[in-house]
Amino acid sequence: QNTTTVNAGVLQLGAAAVASSNGIWINGGTLRALNAGALGYGGNFVQLGSEITNVTTTLSYTGTTAGTLVRNFTIAGTGTQTISADAAGAFTFNGTFTHLTPNTSKTFNLGGNGQGNNEFQTQLSNNGSGVVNLYKTGTSAWYVSNVANNFTGGTTIIAGQLRISDTRHLNMAANNLQFRGAFGTIGV
């Protein structure tokens, strides 16, 4: 069965390269794609993190045009897992979000230094009794757009912009918001 696996360092997929549609494992390090098509399409998953270690992993979009990734998405382990928008064009991330290691707290980061108005459409939920914390790093702008988000961890904006159009996008009643970057609303 063909899969694409990154255990350490950086694997960059060029404009013509395509990761396996059977699954992408980022157990450590960074997978960098020059176009969203390089990450494949369909319901098969992208796994960030390893279930046996506390590692930091990154899935980075670095294309020159706008791109959309629709894949099922699994978070494993307890390290910080990042979706990074480093492109000149906007990056849209959509798909399901599940946890591999039950009842452990997770840190999920929207990062990057791209120039586009990026959108995270996937629902963020706690991991059973483990809470999910959302961070925003890098100079990029991210719009969190899923009104069904129900994570109860904190939201910390270290750099860049985090945007919402409805307070339900961050479940703000339960979250502890911390700002070092910019927080924006669209039509709230």
Side-chain angles (χ1 to χ4, degrees):
Q1 178 175 3
N2 286 337
T3 60
T4 301
T5 303
V6 180
N7 290 317
V10 176
L11 173 61
Q12 180 164 305
L13 299 175
V18 177
S20 171
S21 60
N22 290 327
I24 300 170
W25 279 269
I26 307 172
N27 297 322
T30 299
L31 177 63
R32 187 179 298 148
L34 295 179
N35 67 60
L39 297 171
Y41 295 99
N44 290 315
F45 64 91
V46 174
Q47 178 177 309
L48 289 175
S50 170
E51 61 184 297
I52 58 173
T53 59
N54 180 11
V55 297
T56 298
T57 63
T58 302
L59 173 63
S60 175
Y61 177 65
T62 60
T64 57
T65 60
T68 299
L69 177 63
V70 180
R71 293 288 294 260
N72 296 328
F73 175 60
T74 302
I75 295 285
T78 57
T80 299
Q81 314 310 330
T82 299
I83 301 291
S84 185
D86 296 300
F91 181 51
T92 301
F93 190 92
N94 189 350
T96 62
F97 179 86
T98 58
H99 302 279
L100 187 60
T101 45
N103 301 316
T104 56
S105 294
K106 309 285 183 176
T107 300
F108 181 68
N109 180 45
L110 294 172
N113 296 307
Q115 301 167 11
N117 290 313
N118 308 292
E119 184 173 2
F120 189 79
Q121 298 174 342
T122 300
Q123 179 184 358
L124 289 172
S125 298
N126 283 340
N127 180 24
S129 62
V131 299
V132 168
N133 295 290
L134 176 64
Y135 279 75
K136 169 60 190 79
T137 60
T139 59
S140 63
W142 275 98
Y143 171 45
V144 177
S145 61
N146 195 309
V147 297
N149 285 339
N150 58 8
F151 69 101
T152 59
T155 300
T156 303
I157 304 167
I158 295 171
Q161 294 182 358
L162 185 65
R163 300 174 181 160
I164 62 170
S165 64
D166 189 301
T167 56
R168 293 174 292 176
H169 294 168
L170 294 181
N171 195 13
M172 292 172 69
N175 282 305
N176 175 21
L177 294 171
Q178 298 179 23
F179 303 96
R180 288 181 232 156
F183 178 70
T185 58
I186 303 169
V188 173

